[in-house]
Amino acid sequence: MAKALSLSEFGFFTLALLLISGVGVLRPWYAPPEGLKWQAPPLKENEVLLSEVRQWPADSFLWIDARSAEEYEEDHIPGAILVNQQDWDNLVFANLEKIAGAPRIVVYCDSRRCDAGEEVANLLVEGGFAQGQVHVLHNGWQAWQRRRSP
Amino acid sequence: MKKWLEIICRLILGGAFLYAGVTKLPDPAVFQEDILAYQLIESFRVTAYLALYLPALELLSGAIILLAPLRIRGLEDRYDLHRFDLPAVTILTGLMFIFSLAYLSTLIRGISIGCGCFGEAMQEWPAWAIVLRDVILLGCGIIILCLRRRELPFFRRVN
């Protein structure tokens, strides 16, 4: 059986191990890894922050939920209508009046990792909306869940 | 019997972390996205450093707990790797504890994500399988520490 470690030895070897692993952190200096983000990426042209949207009058825009029907059923932003790609034709047809009558539209999906919001926004623009009329909510549903009450 | 139990636990824990380190090391950008998906740390700078640091720590500690028990004849006195052994097991058990808590917190908050533990692999595992795997790995770490408690400084007085 190996000799027992004293408390200071144990601490020394634990710390040494933690420090030696720090070599990994030096990697950007000798082999910069691709795609690692050091800062939050800037907003895309059509992206809006939740704080901004909340200053708009409620009747000046329409929320569109681009997530799945199940997620929408579970919970969604009050007043939002479900329009996703999976069932695009039916959902657009069912909500045609609301969509066509909206001066502005804000689309959201789950978080910054999903593309559904962006894709639905593109489809809306293809369908005849002007670029400046259709926005995507930055961080999507996640941003809404984390909002502070006004 | 106890010897074999320890060997099995070492193979499972060390193998899992060695594999985790090897799969995550080449692509820190993917691992950073996985960390961000937990929604526990929002800072891009901090997650970037973690994505570089954690795989290195997992790889190194995993390799040590697999290699440390090997004794090279004639080198026993000069070869100090075994001194890193219990510190490495302690670090991995601690990491497993933190990872399990982080994963449980996503279940409680209702965020559905793969765990990101092994890079792209095993992303499609159901939640119960990930929890079971975490429990097994955590158990392996604790078993090794218990079997070796006489060599740990904290329990010296008890024995």
Side-chain angles (χ1 to χ4, degrees):
Chain A
M1 191 154 117
K3 218 182 87 200
L5 295 166
S6 73
L7 188 58
S8 55
E9 273 179 316
F10 184 84
F12 174 80
F13 285 105
T14 307
L15 210 60
L17 204 50
L18 291 172
L19 283 178
I20 295 168
S21 307
V23 174
V25 176
L26 302 178
R27 193 145 134 215
W29 280 276
Y30 61 84
E34 247 172 70
L36 205 60
K37 298 184 192 74
W38 296 94
Q39 290 171 353
L43 288 188
K44 289 186 202 118
E45 209 173 306
N46 60 355
E47 264 188 321
V48 282
L49 294 171
L50 182 60
S51 54
E52 206 179 317
V53 179
R54 296 183 96 196
Q55 287 171 1
W56 300 351
D59 54 358
S60 73
F61 69 97
L62 173 71
W63 283 114
I64 284 189
D65 192 318
R67 299 173 305 158
S68 68
E70 295 85 58
E71 285 171 308
Y72 178 82
E73 288 297 320
E74 204 170 294
D75 201 4
H76 54 87
I77 298 181
I81 57 169
L82 174 71
V83 181
N84 58 28
Q85 285 172 294
Q86 293 89 322
D87 200 12
W88 175 257
D89 290 334
N90 287 333
L91 290 168
V92 168
F93 189 70
N95 298 294
L96 201 55
E97 255 174 57
K98 270 189 180 172
I99 298 172
R104 272 199 282 195
I105 288 177
V106 184
V107 190
Y108 65 90
C109 58
D110 196 47
S111 66
R112 58 174 219 90
R113 285 158 66 89
C114 63
D115 302 319
E118 191 69 35
E119 281 157 14
V120 165
N122 289 339
L123 287 173
L124 288 169
V125 170
E126 278 171 33
F129 278 94
Q131 285 281 358
Q133 261 183 305
V134 185
H135 308 271
V136 177
L137 178 64
H138 180 67
N139 279 345
W141 176 241
Q142 212 182 89
W144 180 264
Q145 281 180 307
R146 281 204 211 143
R147 75 201 186 280
R148 299 196 178 84
S149 33
Chain B
M1 184 63 208
K2 278 185 175 175
K3 191 182 154 197
W4 284 104
L5 181 63
E6 189 184 330
I7 289 174
I8 291 168
C9 287
R10 270 177 195 279
L11 286 176
I12 295 174
L13 188 67
F17 271 97
L18 194 63
Y19 178 62
V22 169
T23 49
K24 284 185 294 200
L25 205 61
D27 204 349
V30 171
F31 186 40
Q32 181 184 27
E33 285 296 329
D34 290 331
I35 303 176
L36 284 167
Y38 277 83
Q39 298 174 31
L40 289 170
I41 306 167
E42 293 192 20
S43 156
F44 280 78
R45 184 167 293 273
V46 173
T47 50
Y49 278 122
L50 276 180
L52 292 169
Y53 181 70
L54 283 179
L57 182 64
E58 293 175 357
L59 184 69
L60 190 66
S61 306
I64 285 175
I65 74 167
L66 288 177
L67 296 177
L70 302 178
R71 293 269 185 274
I72 298 171
R73 195 183 281 180
L75 278 180
E76 284 90 351
D77 296 334
R78 290 178 229 169
Y79 167 70
D80 253 2
L81 195 57
H82 64 272
R83 295 187 178 224
F84 283 103
D85 184 31
L86 289 181
V89 177
T90 311
I91 287 172
L92 291 186
T93 310
L95 280 181
M96 257 342 281
F97 190 66
I98 296 168
F99 293 166
S100 309
L101 282 186
Y103 189 72
L104 281 182
S105 84
T106 66
L107 292 181
I108 292 167
R109 288 175 297 156
I111 306 167
S112 65
I113 54 171
C115 72
C117 320
F118 298 99
E120 303 278 336
M122 300 187 201
Q123 278 295 41
E124 302 299 322
W125 278 30
W128 64 263
I130 296 178
V131 172
L132 182 67
R133 190 201 53 204
D134 284 358
V135 169
I136 291 175
L137 290 177
L138 195 55
C140 286
I142 293 172
I143 289 172
I144 302 173
L145 289 178
C146 285
L147 292 173
R148 296 258 170 170
R149 64 187 180 281
R150 280 162 218 278
E151 294 167 47
L152 285 170
F154 325 108
F155 297 103
R156 184 81 43 76
R157 265 177 224 147
V158 183
N159 298 303

